[in-house]
Amino acid sequence: MTSKPPVSDVDAFSDVILADPIPMHHALREAGPVVHLTRHDVFAFARHEQVHAALVDWQSFQSAAGVGMANFRTEKPWRPPSLLLEADPPRHDAPRRVLQKILSPRALRKLREGWLADAVALVDQVLADGGSEVELDAVSALAEAFPLRVFPDAVGLPEEGREHLLPYGDHLFNTFGPQNDLVAKGQPRAAELSAWTDAQCAREVLAAEGFGADIWAAADRGDITPEQAPLIVRSLLSAGVDTTVHGLSAVLHAFATHPDQWERLRGDNALARVAFDEAVRWESPVQTFFRTTTRDIEIAGHVIPDGHKILMFLGAANRDPRRWGADADRFDLARDPSGHVGFGMGLHQCVGQHVARLEAEALLTALTRRVERLEPAGPARRHLNNTLRAWESLPLRLHLS
Ligand code: OVV
């Protein structure tokens, strides 16, 4: 016997929910393993078990019909689909294999020393004219400044136009949601930002060394086609900037509001990577992605028919007490955050995660050298996005050691 799943008429992408999705996450997890969101006509998973299961079962939950609300089976995508994010095997395989190697921990070793030094230089510069304490906005001064200092260079982008990266990403991540005001606000600049991004993917535009050149070299070897190369570069520019910025904002906010955890990190710098992953679990900079069912799927006695959109609440799964225990809402370096779905899971799991972790390790390590204590110096303000959990502003006071 099967029955209809529980329903909710919540607008999961309204300003009120985006500003604080935590109560909705709780309600959706409690409502059941699957909830029909009538307003969007999608089926929502908010528990870790179902989100994890959908992420690893790419055969039943496809990405090729889009990982946003739009169903590519019936709606034309606004940009050519990503060969990574919006593809399934076998089309996904070669692009994934190529990029995974280029962004592997082994390949990143040659960047490590330089990035650690760059982080020290940035932190020294930011703290330069302070006395024993410095006030700054951690979003612009650190979370944006550091990735923008190291990542475009690592890709091999020209200097000109880099200011387009964050607005492009912001609009792109909005477009995974419904066509609400956030999308409408980005619309006037979308063509310009998209054209700039696409233009940076050409071989002639990219530096002779870097992730971009590495992707083109893979085309020369025949590992991918020359037609695939620019789209794979585009994935780096699409997914590689806003995500890390908001991940860094998350970890800085976490430490500013959990001074005991900062103490702990200062006592053991090796915790920097765990701290970042715990912040990714705790805040889930990427809150949601969709899948599309490729067959009728039965979940806990409810049937989701073929061709329907599944909304996976990564942020809700990452705080599901069924998986994380009663203190799931706590930011805690003593926790083992592995198994969080903030980077996804399975075949599509974030291919840039080692880049993100290296950026975080470099920045946090540089900060621990100079900062004894950090605390909020004013009201933190959210930046609303249909997909990203982001800060607009994080005023902090840093007490220097
Ligand atoms: C994970 C992600 C986010 C946004 C864009 C892409 C990937 C892409 O491959 O274009």
Side-chain angles (χ1 to χ4, degrees):
M1 273 297 287
T2 59
S3 60
K4 286 195 182 303
V7 298
S8 166
D9 67 355
V10 69
D11 177 355
F13 302 90
S14 71
D15 285 0
V16 173
I17 296 289
L18 294 176
D20 179 14
I22 306 293
M24 177 193 68
H25 290 166
H26 178 81
L28 291 176
R29 281 192 308 258
E30 292 306 307
V34 53
V35 181
H36 186 216
L37 301 187
T38 52
R39 190 178 299 241
H40 312 293
D41 192 19
V42 303
F43 294 87
F45 297 167
R47 296 185 185 178
H48 185 276
E49 183 186 342
Q50 279 71 36
V51 170
H52 186 279
L55 284 167
V56 298
D57 184 0
W58 57 268
Q59 293 96 334
S60 307
F61 300 92
Q62 68 168 176
S63 292
V67 298
M69 189 173 279
N71 189 338
F72 295 175
R73 292 194 197 178
T74 52
E75 296 170 63
K76 188 176 142 48
W78 73 277
R79 58 170 208 164
S82 164
L83 301 179
L84 290 143
L85 183 71
E86 296 156 324
D88 297 300
R91 283 192 56 211
H92 173 264
D93 297 339
R96 172 74 194 204
R97 199 158 40 231
V98 162
L99 195 55
Q100 185 157 312
K101 179 132 192 249
I102 291 168
L103 304 180
S104 67
R106 186 186 156 74
L108 296 183
R109 270 192 237 154
K110 61 177 183 288
L111 292 173
R112 184 185 164 82
E113 232 180 297
W115 285 16
L116 290 170
D118 282 335
V120 168
L122 173 69
V123 167
D124 283 349
Q125 181 189 325
V126 160
L127 302 182
D129 39 45
S132 62
E133 51 180 71
V134 172
E135 286 190 18
L136 50 73
D137 191 325
V139 174
S140 52
L142 298 169
E144 292 182 352
F146 187 60
L148 288 175
R149 185 172 178 133
V150 296
F151 186 74
D153 284 346
V155 174
L157 286 187
E159 293 286 336
E160 174 133 3
R162 291 179 178 192
E163 71 278 6
H164 293 115
L165 287 166
L166 282 169
Y168 175 72
D170 190 53
H171 181 64
L172 170 64
F173 280 97
N174 273 327
T175 65
F176 295 124
Q179 298 222 337
N180 57 13
D181 286 355
L182 289 168
V183 176
K185 273 205 206 106
Q187 223 41 266
R189 291 198 67 198
E192 174 213 347
L193 293 170
S194 198
W196 177 83
T197 303
D198 291 348
Q200 310 315 305
C201 302
R203 155 172 252 157
E204 317 76 64
V205 174
L206 294 158
E209 283 180 42
F211 300 146
D214 293 344
I215 290 167
W216 279 102
D220 292 341
R221 289 194 305 269
D223 294 347
I224 49 170
T225 69
E227 291 73 36
Q228 288 175 314
L231 275 171
I232 299 170
V233 179
R234 194 193 66 177
S235 285
L236 286 182
L237 306 184
S238 301
V241 189
D242 300 65
T243 50
T244 48
V245 166
H246 302 317
L248 293 175
S249 294
V251 77
L252 293 171
H253 174 67
F255 279 123
T257 53
H258 297 72
D260 54 321
Q261 301 300 308
W262 184 251
E263 269 300 302
R264 204 175 170 124
L265 175 66
R266 293 219 331 139
D268 181 5
N269 271 330
L271 287 172
R273 279 167 181 261
V274 174
F276 182 63
D277 269 79
E278 171 65 353
V280 170
R281 181 197 70 82
W282 187 65
E283 181 85 339
S284 302
V286 175
Q287 285 276 298
T288 47
F289 268 131
F290 293 78
R291 293 290 189 260
T292 307
T293 53
T294 59
R295 57 182 181 87
D296 295 356
I297 311 250
E298 191 180 321
I299 287 164
H302 311 299
V303 174
I304 308 171
D306 176 33
H308 279 64
K309 282 283 170 176
I310 306 295
L311 173 48
M312 304 179 296
F313 285 99
L314 309 177
N318 279 341
R319 288 171 176 240
D320 184 352
R322 295 163 190 80
R323 170 65 178 76
W324 304 101
D327 70 342
D329 288 325
R330 239 184 82 74
F331 172 75
D332 184 359
L333 299 196
R335 185 197 307 278
D336 176 5
S338 58
H340 76 72
V341 292
F343 286 125
M345 195 56 69
L347 201 68
H348 288 282
Q349 191 181 34
C350 180
V351 74
Q353 60 184 284
H354 308 292
V355 182
R357 287 200 189 98
L358 183 58
E359 289 179 41
E361 186 199 353
L363 185 60
L364 290 174
T365 303
L367 284 167
T368 56
R369 287 173 68 244
R370 301 278 315 269
V371 179
E372 197 168 87
R373 195 158 62 78
L374 58 168
E375 62 186 342
R381 270 191 298 118
R382 285 282 174 191
H383 171 80
L384 302 190
N385 182 285
N386 279 334
T387 303
L388 302 170
R389 187 127 170 88
W391 292 106
E392 184 70 39
S393 173
L394 289 173
L396 296 189
R397 188 174 305 112
L398 310 183
H399 300 264
L400 309 190
S401 40

